[in-house]
Amino acid sequence: MDVLYFYWFSWIWWVLLTFFMEKTRERTYLSALILLLLIFSTTFISFEIWKINVAYLVLFISSFIPYKKQTNYMISWIYTLIIALFYGGFYLFTLYDPVWIIGDYLWLLSACMFLITCVVVAPHRARQWHFINGACVGEALLSLVLGKIGIKPEVGDEAFLSLIAAVTLALFLWESMKKAFYYISFVRLKERPSSFFKKG
């Protein structure tokens, strides 16, 4: 996956939020967040052996804000840790045994992260921010492991941001398709003749 996909997907997200979402505080917050990510996507802070992307820090901090509305923190943390461990484990697997990876690594990881998020996270409205939170935690844990074995990682580089943008957009489109399918099914059900529901 080319790192330029981050910019394409982010602008698509911004257009969807700005022109198709209802005017709420949530829309304003999300639109501002996307613009901040675009602004800081190439800015890094050096810290010992790590280089940390400022956009990653913004995303990481903002991914914890929805936790204020949660009533069951334990379940939310379980979701986050499963996604984080999968993310880190997949990367380490490709690092030590890359022969099993067929095709582009980032596209394959994006598809796997999309599937694991849909399978693990039950509430569909929480899937996107659980995915973002889990991926950010996974990136942090992965960077700690890589630092221990002598690799100098770039935490939250543009490839990571491209993965975030691609999977969140895919989750949004998936939920939109499900809603459209339910709506079409409901309309067709209403259009059926009343005799359909009568016995005999």
Side-chain angles (χ1 to χ4, degrees), residues 108-129:
L108 184 60
L109 179 57
S110 299
C112 291
M113 292 294 283
F114 170 78
L115 292 174
I116 198 72
T117 303
C118 289
V119 170
V120 170
V121 184
H124 66 275
R125 291 181 62 85
R127 280 178 181 162
Q128 290 181 349
W129 72 266

Side-chain angles (χ1 to χ4, degrees), residues 82-99:
I82 290 173
I83 295 171
L85 292 175
F86 181 85
Y87 176 85
F90 189 95
Y91 186 90
L92 292 175
F93 178 78
T94 60
L95 182 66
Y96 286 103
D97 199 6
V99 71

Side-chain angles (χ1 to χ4, degrees), residues 3-18:
V3 294
L4 291 177
Y5 280 109
F6 164 68
Y7 300 103
W8 280 102
F9 291 147
S10 296
W11 281 118
I12 291 171
W13 252 122
W14 188 82
V15 169
L16 288 174
L17 290 171
T18 305

Side-chain angles (χ1 to χ4, degrees), residues 163-175:
L163 176 122
I164 293 290
V167 177
T168 52
L169 187 62
L171 289 170
F172 172 77
L173 294 175
W174 175 250
E175 295 304 325

